């Protein structure tokens, strides 16, 4: 999600924990570091990614959702193919009554993504906003627990019997 700098300033002021002097210092840093104001505010710990996302959600009137990747059911997640979910930074995290799909996005203002989601999932979707880190954890659920799958595959492989000795003539 990329929030315009002027809106970041407004949100920081609205949050109440950042002074005008701190915002001015961030503006100077932005010019010298060539980084977006929102990134600087988060890395300098003036506001957390979650708090900034919540303020932004309130401003644009889109509900915020704190995704718990482990609680997303696999069949719900797979309603949107992984390639598309990663391309548009979005996941289906639940299904509400009457087949309304609850979708979490990092950028709910992405018109192209919204249009595609309507084509892919139908018109019964409800968009939520979430933080980038929570969204990435949810996207990682597509891969599942790879290490446990590898362990299972390795355990299923037949372990060669060490009593079978091979002599030099067999190798030749």
């Amino acid at each position: 999600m990329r929030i315009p700098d002027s809106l970041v300033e407004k949100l920081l002021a609205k949050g109440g924990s950042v002074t005008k002097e701190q915002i001015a210092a961030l503006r100077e840093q932005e010019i010298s570091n060539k980084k977006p104001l929102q990134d600087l505010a988060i890395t300098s710990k003036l506001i957390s990614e979650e708090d900034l996302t919540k303020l932004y959600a309130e401003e644009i009137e889109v509900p915020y959702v704190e995704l718990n990747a482990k609680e997303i059911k696999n069949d719900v997640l797979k309603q949107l193919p992984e390639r598309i979910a990663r391309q548009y930074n979005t996941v289906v995290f639940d299904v509400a009554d009457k087949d309304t799909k609850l979708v979490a996005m990092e950028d709910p203002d992405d018109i192209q993504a919204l249009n595609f989601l309507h084509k892919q999932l139908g018109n019964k979707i409800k968009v939520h906003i979430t933080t980038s880190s929570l969204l990435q954890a949810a996207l990682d659920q597509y891969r599942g627990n790879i290490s446990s799958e590898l362990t299972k595959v390795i355990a299923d492989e037949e372990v060669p019997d060490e009593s079978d000795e091979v002599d030099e003539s067999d190798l030749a």
Side-chain angles (χ1 to χ4, degrees):
M1 148 186 72
R2 174 79 175 96
I3 305 172
D5 291 345
S6 58
L7 184 54
V8 172
E9 280 186 46
K10 179 181 173 185
L11 295 175
L12 289 173
K14 184 179 180 181
S17 62
V18 181
T19 65
K20 290 181 181 179
E21 292 79 24
Q22 289 173 315
I23 292 174
L26 279 179
R27 279 294 200 181
E28 289 175 19
Q29 255 188 319
E30 178 185 28
I31 294 167
S32 63
N33 293 350
K34 294 182 174 38
K35 285 188 172 180
L37 191 63
Q38 75 184 61
D39 293 347
L40 292 171
I42 292 168
T43 55
S44 62
K45 298 194 185 325
L46 291 177
I47 192 167
S48 69
E49 178 187 22
E50 181 181 0
D51 290 340
L52 183 61
T53 305
K54 284 179 180 177
L55 288 170
Y56 182 58
E58 188 179 304
E59 183 71 24
I60 63 172
E61 298 177 352
V62 172
Y64 171 82
V65 64
E66 189 167 331
L67 286 179
N68 184 345
K70 303 270 189 239
E71 292 178 0
I72 301 173
K73 294 178 181 148
N74 203 25
D75 60 322
V76 172
L77 187 71
K78 300 276 178 158
Q79 290 184 22
L80 194 63
E82 180 182 5
R83 179 184 59 79
I84 293 167
R86 289 189 183 280
Q87 179 179 350
Y88 293 113
N89 278 327
T90 186
V91 293
V92 178
F93 67 92
D94 204 357
V95 178
D97 58 313
K98 300 179 186 171
D99 295 330
T100 301
K101 291 161 182 71
L102 304 181
V103 176
M105 301 178 74
E106 185 181 4
D107 184 7
D109 289 333
D110 186 345
I111 301 299
Q112 182 182 6
L114 290 172
N115 287 339
F116 190 84
L117 288 173
H118 280 289
K119 287 178 187 172
Q120 184 78 23
L121 300 171
N123 287 328
K124 290 186 174 184
I125 63 172
K126 181 166 171 101
V127 176
H128 294 70
I129 189 171
T130 192
T131 64
S132 178
S133 53
L134 291 175
L135 183 64
Q136 284 305 315
L139 287 170
D140 289 344
Q141 288 300 107
Y142 277 99
R143 305 281 163 94
N145 190 345
I146 293 172
S147 62
S148 67
E149 289 180 27
L150 286 175
T151 304
K152 183 181 173 193
V153 168
I154 291 170
D156 289 346
E157 289 289 316
E158 226 178 69
V159 179
D161 188 7
E162 292 179 18
S163 64
D164 293 342
E165 293 184 24
V166 178
D167 62 17
E168 289 179 28
S169 63
D170 288 339
L171 287 176

